[in-house]
Every structure is written in C-alpha cells, then in structure tokens.
Amino acid sequence: MSRLYLRKNEVGSNYPVSSWQSVLFSEFEAQMSSEARPFPCVFGVAGYRKDQLRYLFLDPFDVEALGAQLALFVSECRSHGPNTSLVVFTRPRPVQTLEAYHKKFWLMLDQLARIDKSPWPAEIPEQIDHPMWEFSYAGEPIFVVCSTPAHVMRQSRRASSFMLTFQPRWVFEKILGSEKTAVAAFAEVRKRLIPYDSTSPSPLLGRYGAHDGREHQQYFLHDENDAAGCPFAKLAQNKASQSEGTEQAA
C-alpha cells in the first residue's frame, strides 16, 4: 500500500494553489498558526508547528481508502513525534445539517470497524457507553474529532468541508502523564475555548476514563451544549456473524 498522506511541506508540491486541497490546507494553516486567535487544541497546534501531523486528502470520500491509509498511519505514527495526528480533508460539497454530518460521521466509524483486519484491543471495552471506550483501528485506540461547515457557534469544530482528525490515544498518555501536567493542559484548552467559540465550552469535554465521562460524546460536538448521542451500542455488531457466514459459504 502506497502512502498517500503528506507532511506539511509536501502539500504544496502535490497540489496547485487553486486546488481545493490547497485552499483547505491554507485555511487549516492559518487556523493552526494564528497568534492573535490561538486555536484551542494545544496538542494539535504543537503537532502542526513541529511538523508531526500528517495530511490526507480524499476525493471521493471512500472508507476503504481511508481505512488503508489509517492502518498505514497507525503502523508509522510513533515515528512522527509525540503530538502526531492524521488530519483528513474531503472535497467541499453543499453544506448539510449538523445532524446529517453526525450521522455520516458515525456511519463512517462503523464502516471502518467492519473493514478493520485487526482484532479489537483487549483493554478497550466494545460497548460504546462505557468510560473506557475509545474508537480503535488496526489495534490502536484513537481519539477522533469531526469538524464540519455546519458548525457556526462552535468555531473550534468548524471546517470548510467534512474533516476528520485521528489522534492516537498514546499521544494523550505522553502529554497527560501526571496530574499536574493534565490539569495545566486542560486549563489552557479551556482558556482558549472561551473566546474562540460563540458558545460556552461543552460540558461533555473531560478526562478519559472518568466515571461520568464518555469519549464518544466528545468526537462530534453540536453547536448547542447537549449530548448528540451515538446510534450504535457497539461498532460493527454483525461483523463476527458475517465473517462466520462467509467462512461457512466458502
């Protein structure tokens, strides 16, 4: 499988200035590098500045292609640096509602789970409504963020197209290794969120593993401070039975 995701300096050499890829990436760079209006996710900003992020441009938006590149990223991510993430841009389309994007997002995660060739990590519960659940792919727990053009009040989750960020769980474990550093990091994120968004910080944002917290609620935040919910009890619920049926038919 050839690598399609790029480093920062490779984007310009792969896509002309007038392309949608270049336009979206220029917006992203402006967002990440602004000092007058610093982006709330300090981890993402650090990853951008140190060239540890990797960028994938999909047209059309194909889950099989995404899955192949995500698996490749997972196999290489520890060599990219402690603040790495895979940022996925898709071609701009007519703007849909937040609910439509929410449905598209979870359908995409379910489809990824169905094509995943690796077993679900033993330490991660499969039931989504659990404080220790995290989306996992290719054996790696991953925190996922969805940004859309339908976000208006919550500018920290706004993008000019359907955009995804896949951040390996170990990135947080390295950064938030002690209670002191964790408290400081979350305080800085909250301090930046308050002036950045036109709505108060979501009460759903919290620490992984907290008894009353759920990671899945943080993946897709609506403009209003309410829980969007998740359409699945667990991802790819019929995957095992489908595999057994295929084996029997063969």
Side-chain angles (χ1 to χ4, degrees):
M1 167 59 63
S2 60
R3 177 174 66 86
L4 299 180
Y5 56 83
L6 308 170
R7 296 181 68 152
K8 182 165 43 175
N9 64 345
E10 294 174 324
V11 176
S13 58
N14 278 266
Y15 301 109
V17 175
S18 59
S19 65
W20 69 265
Q21 295 94 334
S22 180
V23 171
L24 291 189
F25 190 67
S26 293
E27 289 183 2
F28 177 82
E29 286 199 299
Q31 191 179 46
M32 290 293 109
S33 59
S34 176
E35 294 185 6
R37 191 168 180 256
F39 190 70
C41 181
V42 294
F43 317 119
V45 171
Y48 167 77
R49 289 178 175 170
K50 296 176 181 178
D51 195 24
Q52 295 172 0
L53 305 182
R54 296 297 180 264
Y55 309 99
L56 177 65
F57 300 86
L58 289 180
D59 182 24
F61 180 63
D62 180 82
V63 175
E64 291 277 353
L66 172 59
Q69 292 300 307
L70 183 56
L72 184 57
F73 171 78
V74 164
S75 71
E76 300 178 343
C77 64
R78 282 174 170 77
S79 67
H80 299 329
N83 287 292
T84 192
S85 293
L86 179 65
V87 184
V88 182
F89 299 90
T90 66
R91 188 184 186 96
R93 304 291 184 191
V95 179
Q96 302 179 47
T97 64
L98 276 174
E99 282 300 332
Y101 285 121
H102 179 254
K103 182 177 180 180
K104 179 177 181 177
F105 171 73
W106 278 104
L107 179 60
M108 177 271 302
L109 289 189
D110 187 61
Q111 290 172 330
L112 281 175
R114 292 178 184 279
I115 63 174
D116 190 4
K117 295 180 174 62
S118 300
W120 191 262
E123 72 276 15
I124 303 295
E126 291 192 54
Q127 293 296 320
I128 293 175
D129 189 22
H130 190 288
M132 297 303 292
W133 182 87
E134 188 81 276
F135 174 72
S136 300
Y137 194 80
E140 189 76 63
I142 303 171
F143 185 80
V144 191
V145 171
C146 183
S147 303
T148 82
H151 282 90
V152 176
M153 303 292 287
R154 203 175 298 282
Q155 287 288 298
S156 57
R157 293 295 178 101
R158 191 196 174 281
S160 291
S161 71
F162 184 70
M163 188 179 97
L164 305 162
T165 302
F166 294 88
Q167 191 165 32
R169 178 84 247 156
W170 60 261
V171 168
F172 293 100
E173 292 169 357
K174 285 181 176 292
I175 298 170
L176 310 177
S178 69
E179 184 66 20
K180 183 178 179 180
T181 57
V183 169
F186 283 118
E188 179 63 21
V189 170
R190 185 176 180 83
K191 185 177 81 172
R192 293 185 179 199
L193 271 174
I194 292 173
Y196 202 90
D197 289 343
S198 298
T199 185
S200 58
S202 173
L204 302 174
L205 296 175
R207 297 278 292 275
Y208 173 66
H211 178 70
D212 58 348
R214 296 294 185 271
E215 288 290 279
H216 74 85
Q217 294 180 338
Q218 302 181 49
Y219 290 0
F220 192 108
L221 296 178
H222 280 252
D223 269 352
E224 303 300 328
N225 283 327
D226 52 11
C230 169
F232 302 102
K234 70 175 185 175
L235 298 177
Q237 294 185 71
N238 299 322
K239 184 177 179 180
S241 60
Q242 287 176 344
S243 298
E244 291 171 5
T246 301
E247 291 173 2
Q248 291 172 3

